[in-house]
Amino acid sequence: MMLRGLALAGLLFGAEIGAAQAGGWHAVAFMYHRFGEDDYPSTSISLDTFEAHLDHLEEEYTIWPMERIVEHLENGEPVPDRTVAITIDDAYRSVYENAFPILKERDLPYTVFVATEPVDDGLSGYMTWDQMREMEEHGATFANHSTTHDYLVRQGEEESDEAYAERIRDDISNAQDRIEEELGEHNDIPMLFAYPYGEYNQTVADVAEDLGYIGIGQHSGAIGPYSHPMALPRFPMADSFSDLDDFKQKAGAKSLPVESIDPWDPVAAEDNNPPRMEVTLADSDARLNQLACFVGGQGSVEVEWTDRDARIFEVEAPETLNRGRTRYNCTAPSEEQGRFYWFSQQWIILPD
């Protein structure tokens, strides 16, 4: 479904699918990077914690490959409640050495997003294509994470719009070509693109969409029929934020049914910092009188209802956002005890 005009103008998206689902379904994707690498606490998870996560998921949830959830989203088909996906970014060597034996023993499906240049260059911290082929035989799917793993949202000062878009197109397409060459002989490579660093802007999303991809981010939240296909959320996991109780709460998250958001482009303009976000919600059993929003590094922020009957609210951080990535996170309790609706909008403040 090509939704560029809807997305980037801040108009309705997912409404047709959402209405058909009468309240919608909910799925959660978790994102991991490294396993058992203590020197990287912000991106690595201990093996004991990873096993605890998997124990909980196997006991309480249905585990699908990410591409299966996406297929249902694209086709307007419901996903069973309490469905989750396991995803891994960057193809680090510890995925093969530490995570793969665990996932293989449990016979679980999972998706690895590969940045191909470090693999082709034979960097010691990354898997090899032979290792990935072995993993393919035991439940792994591999998908696109760009060629260079560059900050694609950064356009060069002397770079024209056309040249910028072409550079992004090449970075994505060349990676897909390499993955298909190395891993596509016996398996279809899904048209999923995980943005490097989870960062995207209008141009990056446009290019990826024009090439036929679904866009995968790193902003928190659940996936549902109203989720935008160029900005699907995932919950990042690492030792710094891997508490089991928090993990259980996130696994049970529901997707706040966002019909529209304005602005959609996460890169905040200089004259819109802090960005003011307007959100329109579809009907659901979310207790909107308890809707709470938070700004990364600034804490809770006032929710301003501009039209409560139409479920339209606005949020703005009280202070200017720092350079880099920040999120507005909004949650509301569900009528189902212990479960929360969740929506996250990423903001990117580029360096001067």
Side-chain angles (χ1 to χ4, degrees):
M1 183 188 302
M2 303 299 275
L3 297 175
R4 181 197 330 168
L6 298 180
L8 305 177
L11 299 176
L12 296 179
F13 55 77
E16 181 177 329
I17 294 175
Q21 297 301 334
W25 47 265
H26 311 277
V28 166
F30 289 104
M31 178 194 67
Y32 299 88
H33 280 93
R34 301 173 184 268
F35 298 85
E37 297 189 63
D38 296 339
D39 291 338
Y40 302 93
S42 64
T43 55
S44 181
I45 194 162
S46 74
L47 300 188
D48 287 344
T49 300
F50 185 52
E51 294 252 35
H53 288 181
L54 297 182
D55 286 343
H56 177 67
L57 296 182
E58 288 193 287
E59 290 170 2
E60 302 288 341
Y61 291 85
T62 299
I63 302 173
W64 278 10
M66 186 70 177
E67 60 271 21
R68 187 177 180 187
I69 294 174
V70 167
E71 181 180 356
H72 280 241
L73 173 66
E74 290 185 292
N75 294 334
E77 299 173 351
V79 172
D81 193 33
R82 297 182 181 274
T83 295
V84 300
I86 299 166
T87 71
I88 303 168
D89 282 10
D90 296 339
Y92 290 118
R93 185 175 61 191
S94 65
V95 177
Y96 176 79
E97 293 179 344
N98 297 332
F100 173 46
I102 295 171
L103 293 162
K104 177 182 175 182
E105 181 179 2
R106 293 171 181 258
D107 194 26
L108 294 177
Y110 55 101
T111 304
V112 182
F113 291 97
V114 183
T116 58
E117 190 170 81
V119 178
D120 283 336
D121 289 346
L123 298 187
S124 61
Y126 291 81
M127 291 192 285
T128 67
W129 293 115
D130 282 340
Q131 290 170 337
M132 292 184 224
R133 279 186 280 273
E134 180 185 351
M135 293 168 65
E136 269 191 315
E137 298 176 0
H138 300 282
T141 299
F142 292 88
N144 197 329
H145 198 35
S146 81
T147 300
T148 62
H149 204 282
D150 198 2
Y151 290 94
L152 297 183
V153 298
R154 299 180 183 178
Q155 182 174 354
E157 290 185 9
E158 304 298 326
E159 191 174 31
S160 69
D161 291 346
E162 293 77 10
Y164 174 47
E166 187 63 27
R167 173 166 61 84
I168 295 168
R169 185 174 294 107
D170 288 345
D171 207 320
I172 297 172
S173 296
N174 291 342
Q176 190 76 11
D177 289 345
R178 288 295 297 126
I179 296 169
E180 290 180 352
E181 288 170 2
E182 295 288 350
L183 305 175
E185 181 178 358
H186 303 295
N187 298 280
D188 292 331
I189 304 302
M191 294 296 288
L192 306 180
F193 179 58
Y195 302 110
Y197 308 101
E199 296 182 347
Y200 56 92
N201 60 14
Q202 176 174 337
T203 301
V204 174
D206 275 358
V207 170
E209 183 186 30
D210 286 344
L211 290 171
Y213 291 91
I214 295 294
I216 314 293
Q218 295 183 16
H219 50 294
S220 301
I223 301 168
Y226 285 88
S227 294
H228 195 285
M230 296 311 300
L232 297 187
R234 294 181 292 170
F235 284 109
M237 288 289 120
D239 282 336
S240 300
F241 36 88
S242 61
D243 176 79
L244 185 57
D245 288 337
D246 289 344
F247 178 82
K248 292 178 179 180
Q249 186 75 68
K250 292 171 181 176
K254 295 185 174 186
S255 176
L256 195 66
V258 174
E259 283 190 332
S260 70
I261 179 172
D262 187 23
W264 184 85
D265 191 332
V267 176
E270 291 183 6
D271 60 355
N272 188 35
N273 185 12
R276 188 169 186 83
M277 177 180 75
E278 181 184 85
V279 177
T280 302
L281 299 176
D283 192 21
S284 70
D285 72 340
R287 297 176 182 173
L288 296 182
N289 62 327
Q290 298 179 51
L291 179 71
C293 293
F294 304 85
V295 177
Q298 298 186 30
S300 62
V301 62
E302 179 183 1
V303 175
E304 300 180 29
W305 288 98
T306 56
D307 189 334
R308 189 174 289 272
D309 290 339
R311 299 179 295 276
I312 301 174
F313 70 90
E314 295 185 358
V315 170
E316 181 177 333
E319 301 176 10
T320 299
L321 303 184
N322 295 327
R323 292 178 184 175
R325 297 186 296 274
T326 307
R327 296 176 188 140
Y328 289 1
N329 291 319
C330 296
T331 63
S334 165
E335 292 293 344
E336 185 178 354
Q337 186 174 2
R339 298 184 71 180
F340 284 80
Y341 283 87
W342 196 307
F343 174 75
S344 177
Q345 172 68 3
Q346 176 181 229
W347 300 109
I348 303 168
I349 308 299
L350 296 176
D352 296 333

